[in-house]
Amino acid sequence: MASPKKKLQGLVAATLTPMTENGEINFSVIGRYVDYLVEEQGVKSIFVNGTTGEGLSLSIAERRRVAEEWVTRGRNKLDQVVIHVGALSLKESQELAKHAAEIRADGIAVIAPFFLKPWNKDVLTDFLKEVAAAAPALPFYYYHIPALTGVKIRAEELLDGIQEKIPTFQGLKFSDTDLLDFGQCVDQHRQRQFAFLFGVDEQLLSALVMGATGAVGSTYNYLGKKTNQMLEAFEKKDFSSALNYQFCIQRFINFVVKLGFGVSQNKAIMTLVSGIPMGPPRLPLQKASREFTDNAEAKLKSLDVLPFTSLEDRDVEACS
Ligand SMILES: CC(=O)N[C@H](C=O)[C@@H](O)[C@H](O)[C@H](O)CO
Ligand SMILES: CC(=O)C(=O)O
């Protein structure tokens, strides 16, 4: 059984998968990427090969190599490296789970299969159980993202009795806006020491109120520092500061959502903010436009959330 050694908590960056202009994975920048997260963003845990990492658009061989590179580069620098091993094929998912254990990742996460779908809780649990069993020593997290998988089984229902079926079950990554469902997951399992990781970055403060123990998200790659300030304010019960930080983050996310925001745009923003080239996404995604990047840059500057912002760029929106 998985040792509930260290609980996954705080901010977890959902890593982007850097690519070269001709669409191959650019392994050479992953070391710099780790240092950037730790030193510039104060983010010490990562979630690899998920939505943001285009995990489902990579081959199994690529997913293995990407996972290996993050684990290797993150050694002695990162707290935890969780690998998303979800796939449509149970066999592939098991292979990836086993591999994650071999390379000594800190945990695995799985989304619901989304083409031929499980239609009820028991079938979904059976699938997850088979994957978890391929890595019996690794903490297992269910990754709930109904808008993308189309599997709308409520997390609260799924969690009911799950540890009896999946002894390594250790928590939930909840990427949905249904705070009734999320709150009931926390309420019903509080005593079990599960990790409740929220995945809608622009609403994290509401999830903290509901008992989230951490968060996994794409924007922590470049808004990690700002979000950490929100977490600190929340810890200190300084709710008005926490709300100011959340609103600041929301102003940015709301702005880019209106322009069209997803993995491609996250790659462009991360390249801009960190200076580390993330490259284009892989088809079926398309590279963000130059216009998007220019607009996002101007917005980040006006909000004063980034190191590159100079005082002259401040305006009334600036978040302090
Ligand atoms: C659908 C998706 O990619 N969700 C991410 C994590 O689950 C989030 O980090 C979002 O990118 C973020 O909340 C912005 O909407
Ligand atoms: C956001 C997230 O958790 C993912 O990219 O999978």
Side-chain angles (χ1 to χ4, degrees):
M1 182 173 152
S3 48
K5 37 169 191 173
K6 34 177 191 173
K7 186 161 158 183
L8 180 56
Q9 55 193 1
L11 293 187
V12 181
T15 53
L16 293 148
T17 301
M19 290 181 191
T20 62
E21 289 304 318
N22 52 25
E24 295 300 318
I25 296 171
N26 184 3
F27 294 97
S28 71
V29 299
I30 290 180
R32 256 173 86 197
Y33 193 158
V34 168
D35 291 341
Y36 177 81
L37 289 176
V38 174
E39 289 161 21
E40 305 295 328
Q41 298 294 340
V43 170
K44 299 198 72 182
S45 292
I46 57 173
F47 186 87
V48 174
N49 287 339
T51 310
T52 305
E54 300 172 84
L56 277 302
S57 305
L58 306 180
S59 70
I60 297 301
E62 286 177 322
R63 290 174 71 171
R64 293 168 63 111
R65 281 203 58 204
V66 169
E68 270 165 43
E69 194 67 19
W70 282 107
V71 166
T72 307
R73 298 293 165 183
R75 195 162 289 136
N76 302 323
K77 291 182 175 175
L78 295 170
D79 283 344
Q80 296 215 28
V81 179
V82 174
I83 312 291
H84 171 250
V85 302
L88 291 181
S89 154
L90 175 59
K91 290 277 180 203
E92 287 181 350
S93 205
Q94 288 174 318
E95 175 188 332
L96 292 170
K98 196 161 167 274
H99 175 256
E102 281 161 11
I103 64 173
R104 301 175 147 269
D106 299 286
I108 53 171
V110 177
I111 52 170
F114 52 88
F115 188 68
L116 297 178
K117 299 179 179 53
W119 286 113
N120 62 46
K121 167 201 154 154
D122 292 333
V123 181
L124 176 54
T125 308
D126 285 346
F127 182 93
L128 300 176
K129 179 182 166 185
E130 295 285 328
V131 180
L138 280 191
F140 179 90
Y141 302 91
Y142 171 57
Y143 179 178
H144 181 64
I145 183 158
L148 288 187
T149 60
V151 175
K152 311 228 184 259
I153 298 163
R154 293 177 79 243
E156 173 259 321
E157 247 191 88
L158 184 80
L159 259 56
D160 184 24
I162 197 165
Q163 221 181 17
E164 284 74 65
K165 296 231 170 101
I166 305 177
T168 54
F169 183 85
Q170 210 128 119
L172 172 72
K173 169 182 164 11
F174 190 95
S175 287
D176 188 41
T177 54
D178 183 346
L179 287 171
L180 170 62
D181 190 13
F182 184 71
Q184 282 309 289
C185 289
V186 178
D187 188 26
Q188 293 168 27
H189 301 277
R190 213 190 288 261
Q191 73 293 354
R192 294 194 193 235
Q193 293 293 307
F194 290 159
F196 296 104
L197 307 159
F198 196 63
V200 184
D201 313 359
E202 55 276 36
Q203 303 181 352
L204 176 56
L205 183 58
S206 357
L208 290 175
V209 175
M210 286 288 163
T213 57
V216 186
S218 64
T219 65
Y220 308 135
N221 284 295
Y222 48 87
L223 293 179
K225 198 169 173 184
K226 194 47 80 182
T227 311
N228 270 322
Q229 289 175 314
M230 181 178 87
L231 295 185
E232 279 158 31
F234 183 79
E235 271 302 295
K236 286 192 291 193
K237 302 197 173 13
D238 180 357
F239 301 124
S240 94
S241 295
L243 187 57
N244 275 337
Y245 288 122
Q246 183 70 95
F247 282 158
C248 168
I249 291 160
Q250 283 196 344
R251 279 180 223 143
F252 177 69
I253 297 181
N254 194 48
F255 179 82
V256 288
V257 160
K258 285 193 270 185
L259 298 175
F261 184 55
V263 174
S264 316
Q265 290 70 25
N266 265 313
K267 278 191 146 165
I269 297 168
M270 182 59 172
T271 303
L272 172 79
V273 175
S274 68
I276 306 169
M278 293 296 128
R282 182 169 285 179
L283 282 166
L285 298 181
Q286 279 192 300
K287 196 171 175 165
S289 66
R290 180 62 205 251
E291 193 195 355
F292 172 87
T293 311
D294 289 347
N295 280 316
E297 180 174 12
K299 190 67 174 178
L300 285 167
K301 283 187 170 164
S302 79
L303 290 172
D304 193 26
V305 288
L306 296 174
F308 64 52
T309 311
S310 68
L311 269 178
E312 300 79 68
D313 293 320
R314 270 173 179 266
D315 67 15
V316 285
E317 276 192 317
C319 310
S320 49

